[in-house]
């Protein structure tokens, strides 16, 4: 019958002390402690221009960045006055997808709206 003791998992840290040997004198490789870093994050940034309608930018912020009308309007006005604004912060793939969705929607509607991503 199988032993019921809990099996060690691959990511368990090595116990302290010198490298251990098994009963045949074989030196067992030391295990490395698993280290998981948080993912790099990226800001999605909208840029101001003179032509894209304010309503379109507000719609983009609601549709692609889950902003409510008030928050979307505040961000749009900040971009309008300051030249740029952060829409949200995401992992790399999600940020890249949002940029593409915004640019595609803007082109389809004939607006020159620009959207980029920047590492935080
Ligand atoms: N400046 C634009 C206008 O006056 C509005 C606008 C806001 C455009 C934000 C782009 O990212 C932008 N119609």
């Amino acid at each position: 019958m199988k032993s019921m003791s809990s099996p060690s998992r691959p990511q368990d840290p090595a116990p302290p002390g010198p490298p251990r040997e098994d009963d045949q004198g074989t030196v067992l490789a030391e295990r490395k402690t698993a280290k998981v870093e948080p993912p790099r994050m990226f800001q999605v940034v909208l840029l101001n221009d003179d032509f894209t309608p304010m309503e379109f930018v507000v719609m983009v912020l609601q549709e692609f960045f889950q902003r409510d009308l008030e928050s979307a309007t505040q961000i749009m006005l900040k971009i309008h006055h300051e030249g740029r604004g952060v829409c949200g912060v995401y992992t790399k793939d999600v940020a890249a997808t949002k940029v593409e969705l915004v640019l595609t929607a803007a082109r389809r509607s004939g607006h020159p709206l620009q959207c980029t991503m920047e590492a935080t």
Side-chain angles (χ1 to χ4, degrees):
M1 201 174 71
K2 267 199 197 149
S3 152
M4 296 302 286
S5 67
S6 67
S8 72
R9 294 170 299 142
Q11 65 270 35
D12 286 345
R20 296 161 309 156
E21 295 180 6
D22 67 11
D23 54 10
Q24 292 168 13
T26 305
V27 175
L28 302 176
E30 222 177 286
R31 286 199 203 94
K32 293 274 188 301
T33 304
K35 207 169 106 194
V36 178
E37 300 285 353
R40 286 181 300 156
M41 301 301 280
F42 291 79
Q43 293 178 336
V44 175
V45 177
L46 274 180
L47 303 179
N48 188 38
D49 66 71
D50 291 337
F51 305 101
T52 303
M54 291 182 171
E55 297 72 26
F56 184 81
V57 179
V58 170
M59 181 279 292
V60 160
L61 288 160
Q62 291 179 287
E63 181 104 346
F64 300 118
F65 300 95
Q66 282 70 50
R67 302 294 178 163
D68 62 24
L69 178 60
E70 193 182 321
S71 157
T73 303
Q74 279 176 6
I75 294 170
M76 182 279 296
L77 286 173
K78 181 185 165 72
I79 302 165
H80 178 72
H81 290 300
E82 299 179 12
R84 50 176 277 147
V86 176
C87 310
V89 180
Y90 308 94
T91 54
K92 190 176 188 178
D93 288 359
V94 174
T97 300
K98 300 228 180 237
V99 169
E100 280 315 309
L101 289 170
V102 170
L103 293 177
T104 299
R107 269 186 238 119
R108 269 177 55 95
S109 301
H111 302 312
L113 181 63
Q114 288 301 306
C115 185
T116 61
M117 58 192 272
E118 300 174 0
T120 58

